[in-house]
Amino acid sequence: FAGTGTSTDPDPGTGLFYQWGRKDPFPATGKSGDQQAVGSFTAVATSSTNGTIVNTIQNPSVFLTAGPSSDYDWLYAARDSTLWGHSADHSAPKTIYDPCPAGWRVPVNSVGDSNDTSLWYGFAKDDTTTPANIVDSFSYGYNWGDNALYPAAESHGYSSGTLSGIGTLGRYWSASPYSSSSNYASDLYFRNGTVSVSSNGNRAFGCSVRCVKE
């Protein structure tokens, strides 16, 4: 899921990438059609025909790019904010689409709902975008201690599927929408000197996932 290594490692690893709500991963290949040891993928535009849950299960290596016509969501016509088990009161169970192993799940991050709390609150100073509680300075990612190493793995772009910026940006999905009425999903976003514990990402992004214990 998330990469391994240390925060001073020149290549801490990127792990695998997920479009929000999908159960199958995409490898750290540069762009559609690239081949690496872990596999390859094909990027095609989402549509009313292919932008469905059934189709993505049948075609796990197809990355569905998206634009305004689908609100930047690979799921073309049926917004679903519960695919990874989010609920405002944190009571929703892990779903069959959650990519984490048994006993683990994609974390809930409730900024914008009735609880107004953030899973990653301690990663930034109060009401700022300044990193806090880091073990050392930014180096291909941040180390927040207690096994909380987050490599700057970047993401697959929502409009092309291309992976770029490795080592400079990090974006980690939560299981939550950005708000109860939002088309975006909530994520942790950071770069050197800046961190947002409640960023909003287009659901067609292919981002990292850091699982938490159930």
Side-chain angles (χ1 to χ4, degrees), residues 4-13 135-143 149-152:
T4 60
T6 68
S7 60
T8 57
D9 189 336
D11 184 13
V135 173
D136 47 33
S137 60
F138 183 94
S139 180
Y140 297 90
Y142 273 124
N143 183 358
L149 170 64
Y150 285 75

Side-chain angles (χ1 to χ4, degrees), residues 185-204:
S186 177
D187 61 39
L188 168 71
Y189 170 86
F190 63 84
R191 62 192 309 160
N192 191 6
T194 299
V195 60
S196 173
V197 299
S198 57
S199 180
N200 57 338
N202 294 326
R203 299 184 188 197

Side-chain angles (χ1 to χ4, degrees), residues 102-188:
W104 299 75
R105 67 180 298 169
V106 179
V108 171
N109 195 38
S110 300
V111 169
D113 71 17
S114 59
N115 290 305
D116 197 26
T117 58
S118 171
L119 170 73
W120 297 291
Y121 181 78
F123 287 10
K125 293 183 179 178
D126 292 358
D127 301 319
T128 74
T129 59
T130 303
N133 301 314
I134 55 175
V135 173
D136 47 33
S137 60
F138 183 94
S139 180
Y140 297 90
Y142 273 124
N143 183 358
W144 276 285
D146 295 329
N147 300 314
L149 170 64
Y150 285 75
E154 235 288 357
S155 61
H156 287 287
Y158 63 85
S159 63
S160 66
T162 298
L163 181 67
S164 60
I166 294 175
T168 62
L169 303 175
R171 190 183 289 273
Y172 286 76
W173 283 133
S174 78
S176 306
Y178 182 64
S179 70
S180 59
S181 60
S182 177
N183 293 331
Y184 299 102
S186 177
D187 61 39
L188 168 71

Side-chain angles (χ1 to χ4, degrees), residues 48-93:
S48 58
T49 301
N50 63 21
T52 66
I53 294 174
V54 171
N55 183 70
T56 57
I57 292 172
Q58 295 173 338
N59 299 277
S61 63
V62 175
F63 186 100
L64 293 176
T65 62
S69 63
S70 67
D71 290 326
Y72 305 97
D73 192 342
W74 62 266
L75 189 60
Y76 187 79
R79 180 80 60 243
D80 188 340
S81 294
T82 66
L83 286 173
W84 278 345
H86 169 83
S87 63
D89 63 1
H90 297 196
S91 65

